[in-house]
Amino acid sequence: MTDDDDQKNFRRASAQAFFDSLDELLDSIESSNDRSAQAKSPPPQAKPSSPPKKARPAKINLSDFEDAIADLEQFIQNKQPKRPESKE
């Protein structure tokens, strides 16, 4: 496996871990909002026949996300000042 393949695999694993963490965060926020809404509001008098469905964010294509990460990494590297070579 080449370094380029290793980097792609690392990016793919990082992107997947990011999305997993993002899903956990969204679930945590939603459950927190549900609990605070229940604590603040009085019990409803009449419930609608079907509760509204919560919109989930659209799934992002993994290769698009990898490209975006690569673009961000390149942008950050270009913005960092070049360090002078140390002569030892």
Side-chain angles (χ1 to χ4, degrees):
M1 216 177 230
T2 66
D3 287 339
D4 191 41
D5 290 337
D6 289 341
Q7 188 174 15
K8 285 181 182 179
N9 287 335
F10 177 74
R11 284 184 182 163
R12 184 172 285 112
S14 296
Q16 186 62 46
F18 173 78
F19 282 122
D20 291 345
S21 297
L22 188 59
D23 283 340
E24 288 178 28
L25 177 62
L26 289 172
D27 291 342
S28 175
I29 291 171
E30 287 174 355
S31 72
S32 176
N33 286 343
D34 289 346
R35 279 183 267 150
S36 65
Q38 288 174 355
K40 290 180 183 177
S41 64
Q45 296 298 333
K47 284 194 163 194
S49 60
S50 62
K53 294 182 179 180
K54 293 183 181 181
R56 296 286 293 187
K59 294 289 183 185
I60 297 174
N61 184 332
L62 188 56
S63 64
D64 291 341
F65 186 67
E66 289 172 349
D67 292 342
I69 291 173
D71 290 344
L72 288 170
E73 288 173 345
Q74 183 178 6
F75 174 78
I76 291 169
Q77 287 175 356
N78 289 340
K79 284 292 186 179
Q80 291 176 346
K82 301 287 184 201
R83 293 186 207 163
E85 296 295 323
S86 60
K87 296 180 180 178
E88 295 181 18

